[in-house]
Amino acid sequence: MELLSNVMHGFSVAFQWENLGWSFFGVFMGNLIGVLPGMGVLAAISILLPLTYAMTPTAALMMLAGIYYGAQYGGGITCILLNLPGTPSHAVTCLDGNPLAKQGKSGSALFMLVMSSFIGACIGILIMILFSPILVEVAFKFGPAEYFSMMMLGLFAGATLAKGSAIKGVAMVFLGLLLGVVGTDVNTGTIRYAFGVIELSDGVQLVALAMGLFGLADFFANVNRIGKATVVNTGSKRMSVKPEPGDIKKSIAPIARGSAIGSLLGILPGTGATIASFMSYAVEKRVSKTPGRFGNGAIEGVAGPESANNSAAQTSFIPTMSLGIPGDSVMALMLGALIIHGIQPGPQMVTEHADIFWGLIASFWIGNALLVVLNLPLIGMWAKLLRVPYKYLFPSALFFVCVGVYSTNNSLFDVVLVLILGIVGYLFLKLRFSPAPLLLGFVLGPMVEENFRRALLLSRGDMGIFISRPISAAFIYAILALAVWLAYSTVKARRKVRAALQAQTQTQ
C-alpha cells in the first residue's frame, strides 16, 4: 500500500501544470532530435541544460528525462524509413525496419516501433519501481571479470547478426574491435592506430560510423535512381498504415524478451540502450524457427530491439538516482542537473526528496503516453515520406546527416570521415558483409579491453579469474555453448544444401 501511495503522490506532482508542460516540451524536443539524423541526445541535453537553472528541480529532471527517452522513439523513424539510425541504439533496427519499408510495410513497422517502445518503457518503469534494490545488488556483483565475459558473449552473439556466412560476421566483429581501439589509450595516454592523423586522437566517432555504414552506404547503392523513382515502387500495393495480419502475435514474445534484456542491461554502467538492442536482436534471431527472415523484413527484428532500448533507457536511471553512479554520458548530465539544484543523489534521495523521485517516476509514464499520442497519428505522414522522389529525398537526408555529424564536435573532419565510411560501407554491401556486427564490435571494443586489463590487474595476471567467479564463468560457458550450436547449425545447413543438390542432380 505504501508503494501505491508513493506512486499516486508522484502522479500528483507530475500533473502540476508547470511540470507537465516541461515534460511535454522535453518529449517533443527529444522526438524531434531523434528523427534528425546525427543530432544526438547528448548534444541536445547539453544545449538545453542552461534552461534548467531557472526551473524547479522536478521540472528540470522531467524535461531532461523527456528528451532522453523521446529520442529513443524518434531515432527509430529515420532508421526504418531511410536506413539512417538517428541514435546508435537504433542501428540494429535498420536491418529489418528498412527492408519492411521498402516492401511497402513502413506503416506496420512504425506502428510496431511505437507500441514496442511504449510497452518496453512501461515494463522498464515497473521493474524500476518494484525491483530497484534487487537490481542494484545484482549490479554490485559485476566486476571487471563479469563485464569482460558478458561483453565477449555479446561479441560472439554479434557474429550471428550477419546474414549468410558466420565467418563474415566474425570478421566484421574483429574489424569493429580494431576501429574501437583507435585513439588515445586511457591507461597510458599514448595515441594508437591514428597514423599521424591528429583528429583521430579521440577515436572514430560513433555517430559518423553509424551514419556512414548504414545511411550513406545505402544512398550510394541507390544513387543511380533518376527522375521520379522513390524508395518504394509507386506501382506496388498501397502502403499499410496499420499492422499486418499476425504482426502483433509475432511481436509479443520478442517485446517481453527485449524488455527483460533492456531492463537488466540498463542498470549496468557503460552498457545501456545500444548494447541492449544488439543483444535483443541476437537473441531473437537465435530463438527464431526461421532465422533466414531476419535481415529481410522480420517484424520481430523491430519489436525486440526497440523494446530493449526503451526499457534500458528507463532502468538506467536506477544507478544514477539511487547510487549517484551515472551509467553513461547522458546520465552524467542528469547527475549534474541534480547537483546544480543542490540535490545529492544516493540511497536517501527517496526519503529526503520524495517529490522529485516519485514525480520523475510518474513522468516516465506520462511522457511515454505523450509520445504514443504524438507518434501514432503521424504514422501515415511518415510512411508517405517514402513517396518523395529520390532526387529530392537523397540530398535532403544527406544535408541533415552532414549537419548532425558536424554538430557533434564542430569538425569538418567528421563529415569527410562519414563520406569515407559511406564508400567503405557501400563496398561491404556489394561484398555482402553486414555492417551491424562491425558496429557492435566498435561499441564493445574499448570496454572489452578496459575490463580485461582491470581484471588481470586485480588477479595479478591470473587468467583463472574469469572462471573462478560464478557470474563470469556462466557467461564463458554460454559462449562455449553458443559456439557448439553455431558449428552444429553450419554443418546442418551444409548438409541440407548438399541433399538439395543431390536431389536436383538425380531429377535431371
Side-chain angles (χ1 to χ4, degrees):
M1 289 300 292
E2 183 181 357
L3 182 63
L4 181 60
S5 176
N6 287 330
V7 172
M8 295 307 295
H9 174 66
F11 275 105
S12 68
V13 172
F15 274 119
Q16 294 175 10
W17 284 110
E18 180 187 5
N19 296 336
L20 191 62
W22 284 115
S23 179
F24 178 80
F25 175 76
V27 297
F28 177 79
M29 291 301 296
N31 203 43
L32 178 63
I33 289 161
V35 170
L36 296 176
M39 301 294 288
V41 63
L42 184 62
I45 291 179
S46 302
I47 293 169
L48 294 175
L49 189 61
L51 277 179
T52 64
Y53 298 163
M55 296 162 58
T56 64
T58 305
L61 274 182
M62 286 177 63
M63 183 193 77
L64 296 177
I67 295 172
Y68 180 47
Y69 54 76
Q72 300 299 323
Y73 276 72
I77 294 174
T78 50
C79 207
I80 291 171
L81 298 179
L82 302 175
N83 205 33
L84 284 170
T87 59
S89 61
H90 290 96
V92 73
T93 309
C94 291
L95 299 180
D96 284 286
N98 192 245
L100 282 169
K102 289 179 177 178
Q103 295 166 19
K105 300 176 182 177
S106 56
S108 179
L110 289 169
F111 178 88
M112 198 52 62
L113 164 76
V114 174
M115 296 314 299
S116 59
S117 297
F118 177 71
I119 295 170
C122 288
I123 292 174
I125 298 166
L126 283 172
I127 290 173
M128 182 166 54
I129 293 173
L130 298 174
F131 304 110
S132 289
I134 299 173
L135 292 175
V136 168
E137 288 183 15
V138 171
F140 272 133
K141 293 184 183 296
F142 273 71
E146 285 76 16
Y147 273 110
F148 169 78
S149 301
M150 183 181 70
M151 301 294 178
M152 287 303 296
L153 176 60
L155 287 173
F156 203 85
T160 67
L161 295 177
K163 290 189 290 184
S165 172
I167 296 175
K168 288 184 177 181
V170 172
M172 293 297 278
V173 166
F174 274 106
L175 182 57
L177 285 170
L178 291 175
L179 286 174
V181 297
V182 171
T184 305
D185 182 4
V186 294
N187 291 307
T188 64
T190 57
I191 298 176
R192 305 177 297 179
Y193 312 116
F195 301 101
V197 181
I198 194 65
E199 287 85 356
L200 289 177
S201 59
D202 289 331
V204 178
Q205 297 301 314
L206 179 58
V207 173
L209 187 69
M211 290 290 133
L213 291 180
F214 285 91
L216 218 59
D218 190 58
F219 285 147
F220 287 146
N222 295 280
V223 74
N224 59 342
R225 296 190 180 194
I226 56 175
K228 296 183 178 180
T230 58
V231 175
V232 177
N233 185 0
T234 53
S236 64
K237 65 178 182 179
R238 184 176 62 87
M239 288 188 293
S240 63
V241 293
K242 59 183 180 180
E244 295 282 316
D247 278 357
I248 293 177
K249 184 179 179 181
K250 291 178 185 175
S251 302
I252 293 174
I255 288 174
R257 285 189 289 263
S259 300
I261 292 169
S263 298
L264 179 60
L265 293 181
I267 65 168
L268 300 176
T271 54
T274 301
I275 297 175
S277 62
F278 275 93
M279 289 291 284
S280 173
Y281 189 90
V283 168
E284 292 311 314
K285 186 174 181 181
R286 182 51 53 194
V287 302
S288 175
K289 295 180 180 178
T290 53
R293 293 172 47 248
F294 284 77
N296 297 305
I299 197 68
E300 302 96 311
V302 174
E306 287 302 319
S307 60
N309 65 44
N310 279 274
S311 58
Q314 307 301 325
T315 56
S316 60
F317 282 87
I318 293 175
T320 306
M321 302 286 286
S322 59
L323 300 175
I325 301 173
D328 54 26
S329 51
V330 175
M331 288 297 108
L333 284 177
M334 297 285 185
L335 189 66
L338 283 171
I339 294 172
I340 286 170
H341 286 276
I343 298 168
Q344 185 61 47
Q348 302 301 317
M349 184 176 175
V350 180
T351 54
E352 293 178 359
H353 303 283
D355 285 358
I356 297 174
F357 183 84
W358 291 107
L360 182 63
I361 296 295
S363 77
F364 292 160
W365 262 309
I366 295 171
N368 279 282
L370 286 172
L371 283 164
V372 173
V373 173
L374 279 173
N375 284 283
L376 279 181
L378 296 176
I379 287 177
M381 185 192 77
W382 292 124
K384 288 179 182 177
L385 181 65
L386 298 181
R387 298 289 192 184
V388 176
Y390 212 87
K391 64 180 180 180
Y392 302 127
L393 193 61
F394 172 72
S396 301
L398 196 59
F399 170 77
F400 283 113
V401 167
C402 293
V403 170
V405 172
Y406 178 81
S407 66
T408 305
N409 292 314
N410 296 326
S411 171
L412 281 174
F413 175 80
D414 289 341
V415 179
V416 176
L417 185 62
V418 169
L419 178 61
I420 295 171
L421 290 169
I423 296 171
V424 173
Y426 171 70
L427 294 175
F428 284 151
L429 287 177
K430 289 297 182 182
L431 296 173
R432 296 185 179 180
F433 280 85
S434 175
L438 187 150
L439 191 62
L440 181 62
F442 178 83
V443 171
L444 293 182
M447 289 185 282
V448 167
E449 181 194 21
E450 184 180 351
N451 285 291
F452 180 72
R453 293 164 78 171
R454 284 181 180 176
L456 290 182
L457 282 172
L458 290 173
S459 67
R460 297 185 179 182
D462 182 12
M463 294 287 287
I465 188 173
F466 300 110
I467 301 296
S468 60
R469 298 174 66 94
I471 297 177
S472 177
F475 286 126
I476 296 295
Y477 293 141
I479 292 171
L480 295 175
L482 187 58
V484 172
W485 175 257
L486 192 61
Y488 170 75
S489 300
T490 304
V491 172
K492 187 177 179 181
R494 287 180 178 177
R495 285 179 178 175
K496 283 185 177 180
V497 172
R498 288 175 184 172
L501 290 173
Q502 288 177 358
Q504 187 177 5
T505 304
Q506 291 174 359
T507 303
Q508 292 175 352

